Amino acid sequence: MKKALAIVFFIVAASCSGFGQAMQFTVTLNSEQLFAQQKTDPQMMSQLQTYMSDFLNNTRWTDDVFAKEEKIQCKLNVNLTKSITLGSYEGNAQLVVARPVFNSTYESVLFTYVDKNFTFSYLPNSPLYFNENSYTSELPYILAVYAYVALAMDYDSFSKLGGTPYFQKAFNLVNQARNSSSDKRAWDPQGDKRNRYWLVENLMSQQFVPFREAMYSYHRLGLDVATQNPAETRAKVLAALNTIKEVNQLRPASVVVNSFFDAKSDELYRILIEANPEQRVQAYAVLVNLDPSKTQIYQRLSQ
């Protein structure tokens, strides 16, 4: 009987400790500029970093169960630049989402997003509450949007439009924050065109459905067969680029397309440099048109 109770306790404890959670977030917090301004102390920054890590890693974002090796690998790099009043912070953040490629040790960066309006309040002794149905506090709402976007991008890469329920959750959070947050730059359509509103709006828009379908084709039908059929991988990647080109003609310079190339430029080059001359020339023309800032990386494709 004691043994049975011990087993039950172990199962419950494992569940409570985050077993089956979908994502593994690594949170990095850089506050050197605040220290230079004598605006904060190291202990408070350590507590803030722990809060962000615990919130992202211990909140159950999906009912689906993930094995340890299946967890979505995410990085959140936060750089704080200003603290006007005690507990009030401004800075920027970079979200990086990666997924493993089937039958290999390679991890592909799915998505990179730079949030230039990372503004929030935090005091260690003032708990921050999160309620999906009602705006509570800025920081947990920002982090929750990141989590749902990361989850949705991963699901989209494994099944066609599989991330839709999680993009919808992110969109609901954005709409609640739009009406309640004091930081309109980050949540409002009138703000920065690369802000959180436009990130999620793009991903929910019917105009971006072909982009999302291309992400499935690129990863599941392309990268995941690379070890068995590299020619098929190159064909799928090139087809995805042509689809993205069509989406970009409808919505030029969108945050989602820009974020794709921020994540994929090096990978695209490594895949397509092995293509035949005709494919390389075609890829070069598309890439320099969509991602001109990285023309130097793509240059060899045209040779």
Side-chain angles (χ1 to χ4, degrees):
M1 182 68 177
K2 287 183 178 179
K3 185 176 181 180
L5 289 173
I7 291 172
V8 171
F9 176 79
F10 173 78
I11 292 172
V12 172
S15 175
C16 292
S17 66
F19 176 81
Q21 296 291 71
M23 292 175 284
Q24 180 62 55
F25 267 89
T26 301
V27 178
T28 302
L29 178 64
N30 183 338
S31 53
E32 291 181 0
Q33 292 189 51
L34 300 187
F35 292 142
Q37 301 166 27
Q38 296 182 335
K39 293 291 185 179
T40 191
D41 66 83
Q43 184 177 359
M44 184 178 292
M45 291 298 97
S46 177
Q47 291 173 326
L48 173 58
Q49 182 172 337
T50 298
Y51 167 79
M52 290 191 288
S53 180
D54 287 348
F55 180 79
L56 288 165
N57 287 311
N58 296 333
T59 301
R60 193 165 186 82
W61 303 107
T62 175
D63 291 332
D64 292 343
V65 177
F66 284 64
K68 182 178 180 181
E69 65 274 11
E70 295 174 329
K71 286 190 176 185
I72 306 164
Q73 298 301 313
C74 306
K75 295 180 181 178
L76 179 61
N77 303 314
V78 176
N79 181 40
L80 298 181
T81 58
K82 189 183 297 184
S83 179
I84 297 175
T85 59
L86 182 64
S88 175
Y89 300 100
E90 296 181 20
N92 54 74
Q94 181 192 43
L95 173 65
V96 181
V97 185
R99 58 96 92 185
V101 171
F102 181 71
N103 215 19
S104 78
T105 58
Y106 177 64
E107 280 198 345
S108 175
V109 176
L110 270 175
F111 183 72
T112 296
Y113 172 64
V114 176
D115 188 343
K116 296 182 179 179
N117 299 300
F118 196 78
T119 301
F120 62 95
S121 296
Y122 173 80
L123 289 170
N125 297 321
S126 300
L128 298 177
Y129 297 103
F130 175 64
N131 183 338
E132 286 196 5
N133 301 312
S134 177
Y135 178 87
T136 48
S137 303
E138 189 77 359
L139 183 55
Y141 254 63
I142 295 171
L143 298 178
V145 168
Y146 293 166
Y148 280 130
V149 167
L151 195 61
M153 293 297 292
D154 185 78
Y155 273 69
D156 264 8
S157 79
F158 282 103
S159 62
K160 191 177 291 187
L161 304 181
T164 299
Y166 304 106
F167 283 136
Q168 184 63 62
K169 284 180 175 289
F171 195 59
N172 292 342
L173 294 178
V174 167
N175 282 330
Q176 290 177 54
R178 278 180 61 194
N179 297 322
S180 302
S181 172
S182 60
D183 184 19
K184 299 301 181 185
R185 297 172 303 166
W187 300 107
D188 196 272
Q190 302 304 315
D192 178 4
K193 293 300 181 182
R194 290 178 64 96
N195 70 8
R196 292 187 286 276
Y197 172 85
W198 287 110
L199 169 66
V200 180
E201 187 277 342
N202 284 184
L203 293 166
M204 286 292 294
S205 169
Q206 284 297 308
Q207 291 180 316
F208 282 83
V209 167
F211 173 90
R212 292 177 55 199
E213 292 176 338
M215 291 303 92
Y216 168 72
S217 180
Y218 180 110
H219 294 95
R220 190 70 189 96
L221 306 181
L223 286 189
D224 281 347
V225 304
T227 55
Q228 293 85 19
N229 193 343
E232 180 68 9
T233 298
R234 291 190 288 271
K236 292 297 184 184
V237 167
L238 190 54
L241 285 176
N242 284 317
T243 298
I244 293 169
K245 180 181 178 181
E246 294 173 3
V247 172
N248 190 66
Q249 289 171 343
L250 295 174
R251 299 283 293 271
S254 67
V255 58
V256 165
V257 171
N258 287 336
S259 294
F260 170 81
F261 287 106
D262 287 344
K264 294 293 189 182
S265 56
D266 289 335
E267 181 177 275
L268 288 165
Y269 170 77
R270 292 196 302 271
I271 292 170
L272 294 168
I273 194 63
E274 301 296 331
N276 63 50
E278 182 180 350
Q279 287 177 317
R280 289 203 307 270
V281 170
Q282 183 183 353
Y284 175 76
V286 174
L287 287 167
V288 297
N289 175 263
L290 294 175
D291 191 24
S293 66
K294 302 185 186 71
T295 296
Q296 189 172 356
I297 295 174
Y298 306 129
Q299 192 71 46
R300 283 186 58 199
L301 294 174
S302 65
Q303 298 172 357

